[in-house]
Amino acid sequence: MGLCTALCLASKGFDLLGVDIDKKKVDSLRGGKPTIYEKGVKPYLSQALSRGKTRFSDKFEVLAGCDLIFVTVGTPSLPSGGIDLSMVLSATRSIAKVISGDFPTVVIRSTVIPGTSAGRVRPILERYSKRRVGKDVGLCCNPEFLREGQAIEDTLHPHKIVIGAGDRRSTRRLVSFYESFYGRPVPPFILTDYSNAEMIKYSNNAFLSLKIGYINTIARICEKIEGGDVGIIAKGIGLDQRIGSSFLEAGPGFGGSCFPKDLDALIAFARTLTAEHRILRAIKELNEDQASHVAMMVRDALGAVRGKTVSVLGLAFKAGTDDVRDAASLRVIKHLLRMGARVKVYDPKAMSNARLFLGDKVGYGESMRECIRGAEACVLMTEWREFSRHKPDYFSRLMKRPVIVDARRLLNTGEFLGKVEYHRLGLGKAHPT
Ligand code: UGA
């Protein structure tokens, strides 16, 4: 989020300073090498560096004189489900010590629980800068809604801009910045206080998680209906504008660095308030259960999995990224290993990240072909295009037994049913002919 925000700012001609305490990251970015796989980042980085108005540093001191400082550090989960604010608070402290000039404004882009900007960030900013928020320093909470894989596109074309502040001057500063950044027409603004801005971010992500949990539940019912197909149900209900068609793709459950963590944080927050939140707990449980359901689909297809080789195609939590954090693939692999399967994995982008989580518990295929060769079942876990390019006989030729569990509903049902042992999530048994 930090890198994409920075590169988008640079692309519009702003003078940009990117700061990270990780010197390796800074060196890599200075050399034009992105530290993540994300569409568009590489060319945007080269352009930014060649224009000469972008610099990267591991020293906070360079921020002296900056008008706007965006804080985009992580807020990882604590064992309690709550979030670890240490990076946000220490970044704020370091920034506060060096800011200068007329009304420098600190913008919290990181996802933080209601109460954080006003109750935790503001006191640190005021103490270490020796300034008063609203008087001679600005503070806004400005959550982001960009998706990995489309982060640049989402930053350049957001569906809204949410700004929370406790004073008009901070709000005005950020509104006028975004007006100059986007030009006309500006995206819709939601101007509010800190806590509502913070809560919008969590409610937004929890609602999208709810849609996924809901369609996965409908998928499970469809699997028990003769001829049932969650795809047509999603299409049918999605046309109702009150529901909308997005986030109705049934699958192995949501993953990534945001939905699971944010859901946990919202649950932990609601618990501290003793506020009703059963629906949030249900989404979480359903999502975890969906991975065990996929593993059961493999078991049901094979009879038993102990000692059998199962290949897992796709490790990234979704296509278009190399990120495996909290990916459904990891949950499914855990179940398969527990059931005694020999697991072999392949992902076109996420192999090195996956190794950090899976170590030597699984085998690694250099390619899709190598991964499925000799396997008795394969599970499609990420919707990478390259997995859907092949015909059924490709699988029958390479696999010991061509059992395909399509947890992403990626392959063409008409083409695969009857040619291989094809099991598609959210699809009921065919009508008897
Ligand atoms: C999500 C939100 O979509 C962003 O708006 C938000 O800014 C971001 O979190 C964040 O909090 O920073 P992201 O985690 O990149 O973005 O990924 P999504 O595209 O939302 O997908 C999340 C998970 O849901 C993936 O595992 C994906 O496969 C799954 N998903 C998504 C489904 O299973 N079905 C769907 O219909 C859509």
Side-chain angles (χ1 to χ4, degrees), residues 3 28-29 31-38 41-43 45:
L3 183 58
S28 170
L29 294 172
K33 284 202 197 101
T35 47
I36 47 162
Y37 170 76
E38 174 70 39
V41 160
K42 209 164 187 305
L45 179 60

Side-chain angles (χ1 to χ4, degrees), residues 111-158:
T111 300
V112 292
I113 276 297
T116 305
S117 301
R120 307 290 305 277
V121 176
R122 184 165 56 191
I124 291 180
L125 181 58
E126 292 187 330
R127 178 159 8 117
Y128 289 92
S129 66
K130 302 193 177 59
R131 291 172 179 238
R132 290 300 304 262
V133 166
K135 191 169 160 274
D136 45 13
V137 63
L139 175 64
C140 293
C141 168
N142 172 219
E144 52 79 26
F145 300 93
L146 50 91
R147 293 159 294 174
E148 280 184 40
Q150 274 132 304
I152 295 222
E153 181 60 22
D154 287 352
T155 306
L156 295 175
H157 306 285

Side-chain angles (χ1 to χ4, degrees), residues 241-259:
Q241 285 187 2
R242 292 167 302 176
I243 296 174
S245 58
S246 61
F247 278 73
L248 288 180
E249 301 265 4
F254 55 79
S257 65
C258 304
F259 283 179

Side-chain angles (χ1 to χ4, degrees), residues 23-52:
K23 189 157 184 325
K24 267 204 211 134
K25 254 184 209 171
V26 169
D27 287 341
S28 170
L29 294 172
R30 278 178 179 155
K33 284 202 197 101
T35 47
I36 47 162
Y37 170 76
E38 174 70 39
K39 196 165 74 195
V41 160
K42 209 164 187 305
Y44 267 71
L45 179 60
S46 330
Q47 272 171 29
L49 292 171
S50 65
R51 281 201 197 103

Side-chain angles (χ1 to χ4, degrees), residues 60-261:
F60 280 90
E61 288 71 21
V62 296
L63 296 174
C66 279
D67 298 313
L68 281 167
I69 299 139
F70 293 92
V71 177
T72 61
V73 297
T75 49
S77 282
L78 292 167
S80 63
I83 52 168
D84 177 356
L85 281 177
S86 57
M87 287 187 252
V88 172
L89 302 183
S90 86
T92 305
R93 195 179 314 114
S94 307
I95 293 163
K97 285 180 184 165
V98 299
I99 49 176
S100 62
D102 177 35
F103 209 72
T105 299
V106 175
V107 183
I108 305 295
R109 289 283 273 167
S110 308
T111 300
V112 292
I113 276 297
T116 305
S117 301
R120 307 290 305 277
V121 176
R122 184 165 56 191
I124 291 180
L125 181 58
E126 292 187 330
R127 178 159 8 117
Y128 289 92
S129 66
K130 302 193 177 59
R131 291 172 179 238
R132 290 300 304 262
V133 166
K135 191 169 160 274
D136 45 13
V137 63
L139 175 64
C140 293
C141 168
N142 172 219
E144 52 79 26
F145 300 93
L146 50 91
R147 293 159 294 174
E148 280 184 40
Q150 274 132 304
I152 295 222
E153 181 60 22
D154 287 352
T155 306
L156 295 175
H157 306 285
H159 43 78
K160 61 187 171 257
I161 297 171
V162 175
I163 299 177
D167 65 281
R168 303 218 358 235
R169 202 169 164 201
S170 298
T171 308
R172 271 206 309 271
R173 166 61 60 102
L174 199 54
V175 167
S176 74
F177 161 74
Y178 277 126
E179 281 172 348
S180 65
F181 181 87
Y182 289 110
R184 300 261 153 217
V186 277
F189 280 110
I190 306 282
L191 306 181
T192 180
D193 61 11
Y194 295 120
S195 292
N196 282 313
E198 290 159 339
M199 191 62 186
I200 286 171
K201 168 69 195 221
Y202 279 100
S203 315
N204 208 112
N205 272 2
F207 189 79
L208 295 172
S209 310
L210 170 71
K211 278 187 100 174
I212 300 168
Y214 175 76
I215 203 66
N216 285 343
T217 301
I218 299 298
R220 300 274 286 267
I221 300 173
C222 284
E223 286 167 10
K224 309 251 175 195
I225 304 174
E226 209 167 84
D229 184 356
V230 72
I232 193 71
I233 312 290
K235 195 167 178 195
I237 64 172
L239 284 172
D240 184 332
Q241 285 187 2
R242 292 167 302 176
I243 296 174
S245 58
S246 61
F247 278 73
L248 288 180
E249 301 265 4
F254 55 79
S257 65
C258 304
F259 283 179
K261 168 182 84 94

